[in-house]
Amino acid sequence: MTTKQKVIQILEKNINKAVSGEILALECNVSRAAIWKAVNSLRETGYEINATTNGGYIFNGNKDIFSKENFCKFFEKEFPEIKSEIEVFETIDSTNTYAKKLITNEGSLKNTDGSLTKNACKLQNKIIIAESQTHGKGRLGRTFYSPSKTGIYISIIIIPNTALEDPAFLTTSAAVAVCRTLKKLYKIDAKIKWINDIFVGGKKICGILTEGFANFESRTIDSAVIGIGINVKENKETPEELKQIATSISEQCNNAKINRAELAAHICGETLKILCEDNNKVIDEYKTLSFLIGKQVTVFPIIGDEKSSYNAKVIDIDDKAGLVVKKDNDTIVTLNSGEVSIKSENVANKL
Ligand code: BTN
């Protein structure tokens, strides 16, 4: 047994009771410096261990350990009908990049009769989760800040059996799934900012990036990856500029302890469940959760071209998740790409 394992074994037998560093060192037959190192490593893993003023340690029983086993425990209990392969990484460049590589490595996903190949069936609904990303990707080529232990980064591979013409439905489904999960697990009322951002209390809590592989012949999507990045707790190292415009689940719940495995399992299960629901009902729910309708916004139809921007009022979200806006000259335009900002949120768009 390693020192780390021995230390946690002792602390788990003494929940909420202080155990001195000296006793731990004696029981583990190592130096106090080694105990200090082991405790720090346990904290890194997700155990909440506090230090006492006289050099002791108290474990309060809270642990947030992200492992495939923990994820599956929640996933299988809550969504027994959904079959998915799961892969978990402590760190990765980007879960979306990895998922896309898995798809491209597969080559053709369909047999000549149009059915999915055996390997495509294995990839279908595959979930990739990382505790941190070194090159997290955001929409429109932006980077997505993905620090360790304080967020969770998910990609889900979708290989439609029937023609999927528009990947927007995947993004809207994931957005609704995140909102449902935040409500169900933490009673948080989250709102959607078209098309892919989830906000709570005016700050961004989650971003979604759906990437698809288009089939130019059939003009449909052969496969797609839904990427979801969610802030779980405050990260002390988050750049000040982001702190102003981002929030986390824990901050919205009086710093409550959040179990990332439970959270991720619910988001993934709910997303996959919603994809089987009636599209129209999901869009209705998406509309109800959207906070842009009725708001005065600046529209950026071509990203990077500030000159193309114009002011408009959001009047609706249509059946295909297009944002319907009314320009100042009363012309109605439906946006299927680009982005909009409400004046006070100009910075949030850069998240
Ligand atoms: C955005 O806010 O613009 C979208 C952010 C999407 C981030 C997620 S985290 C998991 C997946 N992997 C990535 O590299 N990006 C998505």
Side-chain angles (χ1 to χ4, degrees):
M1 212 190 258
T2 63
T3 304
K4 201 171 142 182
Q5 286 167 330
K6 281 188 207 155
V7 169
I8 196 59
Q9 198 180 53
I10 298 167
L11 292 178
E12 278 192 316
K13 280 190 198 144
N14 291 279
I15 300 268
N16 289 328
K17 282 187 220 147
V19 182
S20 74
E22 202 177 344
I23 299 243
L24 286 170
L26 268 174
E27 299 246 348
C28 300
N29 202 18
V30 293
S31 67
R32 286 189 61 178
I35 294 298
W36 182 78
K37 219 172 130 195
V39 167
N40 275 343
S41 168
L42 283 163
R43 284 179 180 144
E44 277 280 293
T45 317
Y47 289 91
E48 202 168 304
I49 301 169
N50 295 313
T52 64
T53 42
N54 53 1
Y57 299 98
I58 302 180
F59 175 45
N60 60 13
N62 286 328
K63 52 187 169 191
D64 174 24
I65 296 162
F66 199 94
S67 65
K68 183 172 165 176
E69 290 69 36
N70 272 349
F71 174 91
C72 289
K73 190 178 81 188
F74 291 106
F75 190 74
E76 283 160 15
K77 179 168 174 263
E78 292 297 323
F79 306 95
E81 71 287 3
I82 300 174
K83 300 288 161 247
S84 285
E85 273 203 9
I86 326 285
E87 216 172 329
V88 170
F89 294 89
E90 205 175 306
T91 190
I92 195 169
D93 53 352
S94 150
T95 54
N96 266 28
T97 305
Y98 179 77
K100 280 176 20 182
K101 260 186 226 151
L102 292 180
I103 296 173
T104 40
N105 286 350
E106 214 38 71
S108 176
L109 301 170
K110 295 230 167 115
N111 296 311
T112 42
D113 64 358
S115 60
L116 296 190
T117 63
K118 215 168 123 203
N119 286 346
C121 289
K122 274 179 85 182
L123 277 186
Q124 173 67 297
N125 293 354
K126 177 158 180 153
I127 296 167
I128 296 120
I129 304 179
E131 289 187 85
S132 71
Q133 296 183 120
T134 53
H135 292 82
K137 296 194 295 178
R139 237 182 121 228
L140 310 165
R142 294 180 184 132
T143 52
F144 187 76
Y145 184 60
S146 313
S148 174
K149 309 287 177 203
T150 55
I152 205 76
Y153 314 100
I154 303 168
S155 290
I156 307 174
I157 296 179
I158 305 294
I159 307 174
N161 279 314
T162 49
L164 177 71
E165 282 157 27
D166 189 356
F169 180 62
L170 301 177
T171 305
T172 52
S173 298
V176 170
V178 171
C179 292
R180 281 190 194 172
T181 300
L182 293 180
K183 182 80 183 168
K184 185 170 154 197
L185 294 182
Y186 318 111
K187 302 197 169 34
I188 292 177
D189 280 314
K191 292 280 173 215
I192 299 168
K193 176 172 176 282
W194 183 87
I195 184 170
N196 68 320
D197 286 335
I198 312 296
F199 274 65
V200 179
K203 291 184 169 187
K204 179 163 164 174
I205 203 164
C206 170
I208 298 164
L209 171 68
T210 304
E211 300 184 86
F213 287 97
N215 182 325
F216 290 101
E217 271 172 59
S218 62
R219 297 190 184 190
T220 55
I221 305 297
D222 273 351
S223 56
V225 174
I226 307 175
I228 305 165
I230 186 154
N231 304 331
V232 178
K233 52 188 162 191
E234 194 185 355
N235 186 301
K236 302 260 175 317
E237 280 142 39
T238 299
E240 208 43 53
E241 192 202 27
L242 292 191
K243 274 191 191 158
Q244 304 295 324
I245 52 179
T247 188
S248 65
I249 300 176
S250 174
E251 284 169 86
Q252 295 296 326
C253 293
N254 296 322
N255 293 321
K257 299 286 161 270
I258 308 299
N259 185 319
R260 288 169 303 150
E262 180 184 36
L263 167 70
H266 278 260
I267 289 178
C268 293
E270 203 64 54
T271 302
L272 291 166
K273 204 176 95 186
I274 291 178
L275 290 175
C276 302
E277 292 176 11
D278 174 1
N279 288 13
N280 295 328
K281 285 203 179 131
V282 176
I283 288 287
D284 282 349
E285 193 172 342
Y286 181 88
K287 269 168 73 166
T288 312
L289 291 163
S290 293
F291 70 81
L292 283 185
I293 299 176
K295 294 269 184 330
Q296 207 60 48
V297 294
T298 306
V299 177
F300 297 89
I302 306 165
I303 308 305
D305 177 13
E306 298 272 319
K307 283 197 209 121
S308 65
S309 68
Y310 56 85
N311 293 329
K313 184 176 179 176
V314 178
I315 53 173
D316 200 7
I317 289 171
D318 71 13
D319 295 352
K320 292 191 166 154
L323 192 75
V324 187
V325 300
K326 190 177 185 182
K327 287 182 170 184
D328 286 350
N329 64 7
D330 281 351
T331 323
I332 310 276
V333 178
T334 301
L335 300 165
N336 293 308
S337 58
E339 68 178 347
V340 300
S341 77
I342 299 181
K343 275 189 179 56
S344 59
E345 277 162 15
N346 280 339
V347 201
N349 287 326
K350 299 203 173 77
L351 262 176

